Amino acid sequence: MLVLAGLFSVAMCRADEGMWLPSLIGKQIKDMRSKGFRLTAEDIYSINKASLKDAIVLFGRGCTGEVVSPEGLLLTNHHCGYGQIQQHSSLEHDYLTDGFWAMSREEELPNPGLTVSFLVRMEDVTDRMAAGTTGVAEETERRAILEANRKSIEKEASDEGRYSASVESLYYGNQYFLFVYEVFSDVRLVAAPPSSIGKFGGDTDNWMWPRHTGDFSVFRIYADKNNRPAAYSPDNVPYRPKKHFAISTKGVQENDFTFVYGFPGTTREYVTSDFVDYTLNWANPHKIRLRTMRLDIIKAAQEQDAATRIMYASKCASIANAWKKWQGETLGLIRLGTLEKKRSYESQFQQWAAGRPEYADILPRLHGAYAEWLPYAFARDYYNEAFGGVELMKPVALFVKNDFSPVGYETFYKDYAPGIDRAIAKKLMAEFWAHVDPKFVPGDFVAEVERAGSTDAFVDDLFDRSIFVSAESCLPMLSDSTARTTAADDPAVRMYDAFMKLYRSVILPEYKRLDEMIAGLYHIYMRGQMEFEPGKAFYPDANLTLRVAYGKVEGCVPADGVYHRHYTTLDGIIEKDNPEIYDYDIPQQLRDLYATKDYGRWGVWIGSLYTVPVAFLASNHTTGGNSGSPVLNSKGELLGLNFDRTWQSTMSDLEFDPTICRNIAVDIRYVLFVIDKLGGARYLIDEMTLK
Ligand code: ARG
Ligand code: GLU
């Protein structure tokens, strides 16, 4: 038995933690190949020849996309293209509800403001950044030199503005890399499934498995006649990429090697127990509670009224997304005992550091800095979540910025219910009052609350008197200079001013100062951790730069007695289908395709079940920003699009657990099935390279 158990644990190769830099992937290649990878480091990243990196883009400011045709066709998630799909939607053309399928190039829709960025090259510039810093002990002076070095490196690399260049710090400034991007701004919407497919499961299924979301949308990159980036012009032509992904239609098997290549946003794997403590015991419980209050009020109003449901759908989704994530994160951190682990690691580190002057006092200094930082971070979180949760402050913020163009206001009032906002503001202001240290509460606010008698009475008074509560009272003021002068004394403007003044003068500067100080200390602590554990392969925290994460297609046991099989199918969609439940009401067309089993070439037999695969789980280390990232097989062919993690995985931003951390991808075969059978846009598939 013992022998067997030993063998088993060796054979059961563990899922992989880590988000690796593409240009340094050579160091991982041996491990990757031992796990089934069939390509070389040069295939992943090369500056001499076309490589997979040339088919990947940073989509907008927080998602990933991949090129899948020689004519610049691009895939990303539905939730990444959501803003663009919404912008083109109106009552006559409701693309959010009905989907959008451009049937020719002429029908593809331009998206002002949207950019996609290709990484041209990356380069270690640690030495160049360090120039002139040796012997400079003063932190502000050191920072100033770094800043100047950064500017000159970026300027040179931008090649007279042809590229966008940025120097990013890795390992808390122990290493610096230059990233040079080519940025395209003519990116057109080509196709999107109806939301009942692209958002199937909505917030109910968000962060969960089993999952059945067809979370994809299709764009096309356009360039000028020389294949260079250009502002939108009808004369632009489809971009001819150096590389596009071939698509595997063979599907996934459990234990297949897989990797994700994309732009993960933020992780903090090397922080001290102080930050974990703050997340677990301060930030998460308070932020979750505040958002629960908001969601309860919104949901109750949505149940009363169909128009409100639609009006608040998108707001609800964004409030609920982080809300749900934080809850999963908290449970995960508790389950893993991350706080205790960090503390015991720190005591070992401290023993090791005792004889090393460079590191001996680094942990006590970090603990001290965090103690100073905590009240500011906590107040800042309350300003963002409580004060920032009062919607009325949005039009007021425009007004205060002297933005009197009606556009922003109209967009705001289109989806605004003052009754909901008033009820929410009462809850949030009462919480603010109860939990924020008096020294961070604006004096004018205190005076007003005392005058009114309670935070509730204050909010009522505010909503009774402010002209910003409705379009009718607000919009006419914008074009009337006398009314504008009067509005400057509106109670909502006064509230905004009072909060923002204290926030900007007292909280933010100190928060920033302490945050920078902590970053400076991490610079040393990070180096210390690397010396303390010389055998460990450290990967840099995510910072929205291009990374490779690898693992395999696999299910897991997220809780005792629960098994997550690694894939879902169209039959599972039909099980969930319910016209009465908004999140599960699929298009009739999909019901019909199911009824006649009209799956075309996308149907597969799984045992005795004839179905279409929909989503799958894999053990790739991912985070926010990896949405839309290509999930690839051992030959670098596209298997699916990453779009989520399971709920039990979300603590991986602080600690990754290979046994239960799983990313969720939509199977490329479901994407193609929807394009082909629902969209009738087979010509798009003809552009792609299917394997
Ligand atoms: N949880 C995924 C992510 O963090 C998807 C979010 C969009 N979907 C939603 N139902 N809100 O971004
Ligand atoms: N949905 C996330 C995104 O928009 C990815 C999920 C995650 O955080 O892993 O990037």
Side-chain angles (χ1 to χ4, degrees), residues 362-380:
I362 194 62
L363 275 172
R365 283 169 73 197
L366 267 164
H367 298 323
Y370 267 117
E372 267 190 80
W373 171 89
L374 188 141
Y376 290 92
F378 188 66
R380 179 173 168 271

Side-chain angles (χ1 to χ4, degrees), residues 459-679:
V459 171
D460 272 330
D461 190 48
L462 176 71
F463 277 76
D464 288 345
R465 291 196 297 134
S466 174
I467 64 157
F468 289 93
V469 295
S470 77
E472 293 70 46
S473 50
C474 175
L475 295 182
M477 170 273 294
L478 297 173
S479 52
D480 174 344
S481 63
T482 325
R484 286 205 306 242
T485 316
T486 319
D489 202 34
D490 187 278
V493 175
R494 291 216 311 272
M495 171 174 168
Y496 181 89
D497 282 339
F499 275 78
M500 288 315 288
K501 199 171 142 220
L502 190 112
Y503 183 68
R504 288 196 183 124
S505 64
V506 177
I507 297 169
L508 204 54
E510 196 56 10
Y511 174 82
K512 278 197 177 146
R513 184 185 71 82
L514 290 162
D515 217 43
E516 281 185 6
M517 178 166 124
I518 288 171
L521 296 172
Y522 272 129
H523 178 70
I524 301 167
Y525 181 49
M526 186 75 231
R527 197 161 63 226
Q529 293 184 68
M530 292 165 126
E531 283 178 34
F532 175 53
E533 291 186 278
K536 177 171 163 179
F538 285 84
Y539 58 93
D541 270 328
N543 61 350
L544 211 63
T545 57
L546 193 58
R547 302 297 175 89
V548 173
Y550 60 95
K552 51 187 187 168
V553 173
E554 59 177 325
C556 67
V557 177
D560 188 38
V562 179
Y563 172 57
H564 281 174
R565 192 184 63 190
H566 70 279
Y567 69 92
T568 59
T569 67
L570 180 57
D571 285 67
I573 297 184
I574 301 300
E575 278 172 18
K576 284 179 178 171
D577 176 30
N578 184 343
E580 305 287 306
I581 302 175
Y582 180 74
D583 287 345
Y584 296 130
D585 181 14
I586 58 170
Q588 186 55 40
Q589 222 186 334
L590 188 57
R591 287 185 194 118
D592 297 343
L593 290 168
Y594 173 76
T596 54
K597 299 277 182 283
D598 179 7
Y599 303 155
R601 59 183 293 197
W602 315 111
V604 299
W605 285 98
I606 304 177
S608 58
L609 178 72
Y610 184 64
T611 191
V612 181
V614 171
F616 64 90
L617 288 178
S619 48
N620 298 301
H621 190 180
T622 57
T623 188
N626 272 124
S627 273
S629 299
V631 182
L632 304 157
N633 68 11
S634 61
K635 292 183 277 187
E637 298 160 352
L638 191 63
L639 294 170
L641 272 54
N642 188 73
F643 71 95
D644 213 356
R645 274 173 291 174
T646 65
W647 207 49
Q648 292 87 354
S649 315
T650 48
M651 74 304 183
S652 69
D653 294 348
L654 290 163
E655 183 182 356
F656 185 87
D657 175 2
T659 60
I660 64 166
C661 284
R662 295 293 178 270
N663 58 309
I664 305 178
V666 53
D667 194 302
I668 197 66
R669 292 169 295 172
Y670 184 56
V671 172
L672 298 175
F673 164 77
V674 172
I675 292 178
D676 179 1
K677 289 286 177 178
L678 265 101

Side-chain angles (χ1 to χ4, degrees), residues 79 199 202-203 206-207 211 215 317-318 321 624 627 643-645:
H79 79 262
K199 266 196 81 151
D203 290 319
N206 192 23
W207 300 112
R211 194 65 161 278
D215 201 343
S318 64
N321 192 37
S627 273
F643 71 95
D644 213 356
R645 274 173 291 174

Side-chain angles (χ1 to χ4, degrees), residues 14 16 40 106 146 277 336 340 410 449 458 628:
R14 304 254 291 177
D16 276 281
T40 64
E106 290 67 46
L146 288 173
D277 184 28
L336 289 181
E340 295 70 33
E410 277 161 5
V449 171
F458 162 78

Side-chain angles (χ1 to χ4, degrees), residues 395-409 478 484:
V396 173
L398 292 176
F399 178 81
V400 170
K401 270 190 284 175
N402 287 335
D403 177 349
F404 304 128
S405 136
V407 192
Y409 297 83
L478 297 173
R484 286 205 306 242

